[in-house]
Amino acid sequence: MATIHDVAQRAGVSPITVSRVINRSGYASQETRERVEAAVAELGYVPNRLARSLRSKRTHTLALVLTDITNPFFTTVARGVEDTASDAGYTVIFCNTDESENEEKKYLQVLLQQQVDGILLVPARSAPDSIDLIRKQHTPVVVLDRRVPSGVEVDTVRCENELGAYQLVRLLIELGHQRIAILSGPLGVSTAEDRLAGYRRAMREAGHAAEAQLVVYGLFNQASGAEMMRQILELEPRPTGIFAANNLIGIGALHAMQEAGLRVPEDMAVVSFDDLPPTLLTSPFFTVAAQPAYEMGQRATQLLLARLTGDASAPCQEIILPTELVVRQSSGQPRG
Amino acid sequence: MATIHDVAQRAGVSPITVSRVINRSGYASQETRERVEAAVAELGYVPNRLARSLRSKRTHTLALVLTDITNPFFTTVARGVEDTASDAGYTVIFCNTDESENEEKKYLQVLLQQQVDGILLVPARSAPDSIDLIRKQHTPVVVLDRRVPSGVEVDTVRCENELGAYQLVRLLIELGHQRIAILSGPLGVSTAEDRLAGYRRAMREAGHAAEAQLVVYGLFNQASGAEMMRQILELEPRPTGIFAANNLIGIGALHAMQEAGLRVPEDMAVVSFDDLPPTLLTSPFFTVAAQPAYEMGQRATQLLLARLTGDASAPCQEIILPTELVVRQSSGQPRG
DNA sequence: TTGTATGCGTTATCAC
DNA sequence: GTGATAACGCATACAA
């Protein structure tokens, strides 16, 4: 492989001059410039960023650590991150933790070793530990999608989970439902907890009894959604409305209801958090609180880039974006 | 940041000894080992992979260059790549080219500068140019999903596109359809061309006229699918069967048909290439030729890793996986 | 406008 | 078993 020395030799200049021409830093006469560029072309010279990074202490690489890129919400977030980073000349490394703290730790170790310039983190559980780990290496970090315990100072981009959930449940209540069950995500994950809180507030305000059996906990995936729904279907009397804490849970629930011969929304109304990309449903069906996934990725990346290029000690920002209530068929008509 | 020197000093040994302990290379007495490990822990030392890579000429990083990660087919491929790479101790950089040759070139330049150990490429168009560019840096490359011109020697993993398409169209023919239109992907993309070839073979064998107007070209996305479908709906007489060259085109077509008040499969039968992940459709509906997306990512990564760790000059492999014909509702019942 | 000396943090090579 | 030295490829500081 040709190095900067080879190019320098060929062009009859010193390596540093080549460096200057390539990076457009410092001066270079027109003639020198041309000679260098010719040599670069002839030798097919490709600068070694590793060496550059070692020297400059900048890798121009960001990392996005999330739970599962095949969840369409995160896929869209990832695309927002990638586009924004790429425009600014950064590349992005993706890691899937599958909600495992251990995987998260392992990935963070590797990423820090790689000297990534910054990390976008969807924390699996104990955000503070991970944030500490990252901060020890003086690496900027932005927490995405999930809330961190109060008192932890860190840039954050997330949605109004409590309010979005409240609005969804409120809608069901206004449509005349009284017994509404929630298929919740895992305890310990802030999005699950906030959505549960929104559900509880709506129920409380409407004066509906807080029945423990109407709250079921599971994971943010389809299998768990189906499982939770089967549990709910055992109840006597059955709830008439279901709040699924995310899109995958909602889909799983729908399948369980189909198995049981129930129609949605005629027999049971369903609302869920997180929209599905319009490309993915043959006919948009779910009533949802939609998060601006792409924008979340975008904003989080902008925040991170600002830390890198600007003031690293500026006060932390907490960007909380609104969800959009999108009413479709699954929530049904007002009950008689 | 603590360096290997700091650790060495603290442990009262030389840097190279620290290196040996950390990398489990070479000998070290039990006592030395313990002292070093203690020093590492006390200082919170994190090895700098940049420096290591500069010296060892290995970054343990792979790149996956694809057209669009939000296409669920590629999302699943990506997950297969990431899991496989991660198990082998590699991290993965993702890049979206949006089918642009220019973007592809730009990304490849950056990746080669980053000294990635290997590249998984879904070529936008002129695969040979990109392969040359990569090979000039002696970087191994595996072509994923798409065919390269014959004569180009390169490891490849893809599906039987022609056969999968043939089977889908054949199915429509057996159901009694005669006028079948194809909503094709872009000319110049091998998957689009092979699927078109499969369509043509099935039609020819069945003795159906080769009507030019039954073949429409577009892009592999939903908007284009809807657009092509609107064009087809203008035809007199209308075709009774539609072959969508991928899932997004199929969904777009479905929307266009709904707009026009047509029911599927009653008024028109639809089959399409590429399955949608089971999580994403509320009720599986499309009859498809399903590609084993996760396995494709897995196999391609294995091939690449084999090049890295094994014989770089072994003859190239071409892995061609079968598609699975999955018959669901959208293809309808036999016509009277 | 261009060049020299030096160091980034690690490991390969050879020596003890 | 352990260490000294040099080198990976580039860019910073300073000098000319």
Side-chain angles (χ1 to χ4, degrees):
Chain A
M1 287 298 72
T3 74
I4 201 168
H5 282 96
D6 304 327
V7 176
Q9 208 157 21
R10 179 133 193 162
V13 298
S14 76
I16 185 62
T17 302
V18 175
S19 170
R20 284 198 267 253
V21 170
I22 290 173
N23 300 310
R24 288 162 180 64
S25 65
Y27 304 91
S29 72
Q30 184 62 25
E31 198 213 318
T32 307
R33 184 175 299 279
E34 279 166 11
R35 281 224 309 284
V36 168
E37 277 162 0
V40 164
E42 286 162 22
L43 295 173
Y45 168 67
V46 174
N48 185 327
R49 280 209 186 202
L50 247 44
R52 175 185 300 184
S53 296
L54 186 58
R55 196 68 244 257
S56 67
K57 304 201 175 296
R58 287 264 162 152
T59 55
H60 284 264
T61 301
L62 305 182
L64 173 57
V65 179
L66 41 69
T67 58
D68 178 15
I69 187 110
T70 62
N71 176 328
F73 167 68
F74 285 122
T75 309
T76 307
V77 170
R79 188 67 213 255
V81 170
E82 218 271 309
D83 288 352
T84 311
S86 166
D87 284 349
Y90 285 75
T91 48
V92 181
I93 297 176
F94 294 73
C95 308
N96 299 295
T97 64
D98 287 318
E99 301 278 3
S100 149
E101 279 188 69
N102 248 331
E103 287 296 305
E104 182 173 308
K105 291 266 146 52
K106 268 167 47 186
Y107 273 121
L108 290 177
Q109 300 276 12
V110 172
L111 295 169
L112 292 172
Q113 290 187 9
Q114 309 246 66
Q115 315 292 118
V116 296
D117 287 345
I119 296 181
L120 295 152
L121 175 67
V122 179
R125 286 288 154 71
S126 58
D129 287 2
S130 294
I131 293 170
D132 276 358
L133 185 66
I134 298 168
R135 290 259 172 86
K136 259 194 211 132
Q137 301 303 313
H138 308 297
T139 304
V141 56
V142 172
V143 169
L144 196 41
D145 181 51
R146 301 183 177 181
R147 196 165 34 74
V148 294
S150 62
V152 178
E153 273 294 303
V154 63
D155 288 315
T156 309
V157 175
R158 57 190 167 85
C159 267
E160 286 181 333
N161 285 286
E162 200 270 352
L163 181 59
Y166 172 84
Q167 290 172 340
L168 281 172
V169 177
R170 181 83 216 149
L171 173 70
L172 287 179
I173 289 169
E174 280 165 2
L175 288 171
H177 295 272
Q178 303 196 352
R179 299 203 75 216
I180 301 169
I182 176 172
L183 313 182
S184 170
L187 275 173
V189 174
S190 80
T191 44
E193 291 178 347
D194 292 351
R195 291 167 198 175
L196 178 57
Y199 161 85
R200 290 212 158 111
R201 177 159 68 95
M203 294 293 276
R204 196 173 51 241
E205 282 184 15
H208 295 327
E211 287 181 56
Q213 53 185 1
L214 290 180
V215 178
V216 195
Y217 298 94
L219 303 175
F220 277 141
N221 64 45
Q222 193 189 2
S224 183
E227 176 55 34
M228 288 190 275
M229 192 65 219
R230 287 189 207 101
Q231 235 173 294
I232 290 294
L233 290 176
E234 300 289 309
L235 296 184
E236 277 298 340
R238 274 185 186 157
T240 60
I242 303 291
F243 169 38
N246 88 340
N247 50 8
L248 301 182
I249 290 177
I251 291 171
L254 211 62
H255 282 166
M257 290 155 104
Q258 284 174 346
E259 272 170 32
L262 292 173
R263 292 162 309 160
V264 176
E266 293 83 353
D267 300 321
M268 217 173 252
V270 179
V271 296
S272 92
F273 219 95
D274 283 347
D275 206 1
L276 291 165
T279 45
L280 298 179
L281 267 183
T282 50
S283 57
F285 174 75
F286 268 111
T287 291
V288 298
Q291 301 191 70
Y294 188 90
E295 189 186 350
M296 287 172 76
Q298 213 172 19
R299 299 288 291 272
T301 309
Q302 287 164 353
L303 222 52
L304 190 55
L305 291 173
R307 284 278 169 218
L308 296 181
T309 56
D311 185 0
S313 63
C316 286
Q317 287 193 50
E318 190 174 26
I319 297 181
I320 302 183
L321 299 171
T323 59
E324 187 192 356
L325 185 68
V326 184
V327 181
R328 300 205 189 93
Q329 301 164 44
S330 71
S331 48
Q333 299 299 315
R335 287 161 61 84
Chain B
M1 285 298 71
T3 75
I4 202 168
H5 282 94
D6 304 328
V7 175
Q9 208 158 21
R10 178 137 195 158
V13 298
S14 77
I16 185 63
T17 301
V18 175
S19 170
R20 284 198 267 253
V21 169
I22 289 173
N23 301 308
R24 288 163 179 62
S25 66
Y27 304 91
S29 72
Q30 183 62 27
E31 199 213 318
T32 307
R33 183 175 300 279
E34 280 165 11
R35 282 222 311 283
V36 168
E37 279 162 359
V40 165
E42 286 163 21
L43 295 173
Y45 168 66
V46 174
N48 185 328
R49 281 209 185 201
L50 247 44
R52 173 185 300 183
S53 295
L54 183 59
R55 196 62 244 246
S56 67
K57 303 199 175 297
R58 288 263 161 151
T59 55
H60 284 264
T61 302
L62 305 181
L64 172 57
V65 179
L66 41 69
T67 58
D68 178 16
I69 187 105
T70 63
N71 176 328
F73 166 69
F74 286 122
T75 309
T76 308
V77 170
R79 187 68 212 254
V81 169
E82 218 270 309
D83 287 353
T84 311
S86 165
D87 284 350
Y90 284 75
T91 47
V92 181
I93 297 176
F94 294 72
C95 308
N96 300 294
T97 64
D98 287 319
E99 301 278 4
S100 150
E101 279 188 68
N102 249 330
E103 287 296 307
E104 182 174 309
K105 291 266 144 55
K106 268 166 47 186
Y107 272 121
L108 290 178
Q109 300 277 10
V110 172
L111 295 169
L112 293 172
Q113 290 187 9
Q114 310 245 68
Q115 315 293 118
V116 296
D117 288 345
I119 295 181
L120 295 152
L121 176 67
V122 179
R125 286 289 154 69
S126 58
D129 288 2
S130 293
I131 293 171
D132 277 358
L133 184 66
I134 298 167
R135 289 258 172 86
K136 258 193 212 134
Q137 302 302 312
H138 308 298
T139 304
V141 57
V142 172
V143 169
L144 195 42
D145 181 51
R146 300 182 177 182
R147 197 167 32 74
V148 294
S150 63
V152 179
E153 275 293 304
V154 63
D155 289 315
T156 308
V157 176
R158 56 189 167 86
C159 268
E160 286 181 333
N161 285 286
E162 200 271 350
L163 182 59
Y166 172 83
Q167 290 171 341
L168 281 172
V169 177
R170 181 85 214 150
L171 173 71
L172 287 180
I173 290 169
E174 280 165 4
L175 289 171
H177 296 272
Q178 302 195 355
R179 299 203 77 216
I180 301 170
I182 176 172
L183 312 183
S184 171
L187 275 174
V189 174
S190 79
T191 44
E193 290 177 346
D194 293 352
R195 291 167 198 176
L196 178 57
Y199 162 84
R200 290 214 157 110
R201 178 158 68 92
M203 293 294 275
R204 196 173 51 240
E205 283 184 14
H208 295 328
E211 287 181 57
Q213 53 185 4
L214 290 180
V215 178
V216 195
Y217 299 95
L219 303 174
F220 277 140
N221 64 45
Q222 192 188 4
S224 183
E227 176 55 34
M228 289 190 276
M229 191 65 217
R230 287 190 207 102
Q231 235 172 292
I232 289 294
L233 290 177
E234 300 288 309
L235 295 184
E236 276 299 341
R238 271 184 187 158
T240 60
I242 302 292
F243 169 38
N246 88 340
N247 50 9
L248 301 183
I249 290 177
I251 291 171
L254 212 61
H255 283 167
M257 290 155 103
Q258 284 174 346
E259 271 171 33
L262 291 173
R263 291 162 310 161
V264 176
E266 293 83 352
D267 301 323
M268 215 173 253
V270 179
V271 296
S272 93
F273 219 95
D274 284 347
D275 205 2
L276 291 166
T279 45
L280 298 179
L281 268 183
T282 50
S283 56
F285 173 75
F286 267 111
T287 292
V288 297
Q291 300 192 71
Y294 188 90
E295 189 186 350
M296 288 173 74
Q298 213 172 20
R299 298 288 292 272
T301 308
Q302 287 164 353
L303 221 53
L304 189 56
L305 291 173
R307 284 278 168 219
L308 295 182
T309 57
D311 186 0
S313 64
C316 286
Q317 287 191 51
E318 191 174 27
I319 296 181
I320 302 183
L321 300 172
T323 59
E324 187 191 357
L325 184 68
V326 184
V327 180
R328 301 204 188 95
Q329 301 164 44
S330 71
S331 48
Q333 300 298 314
R335 288 162 60 84

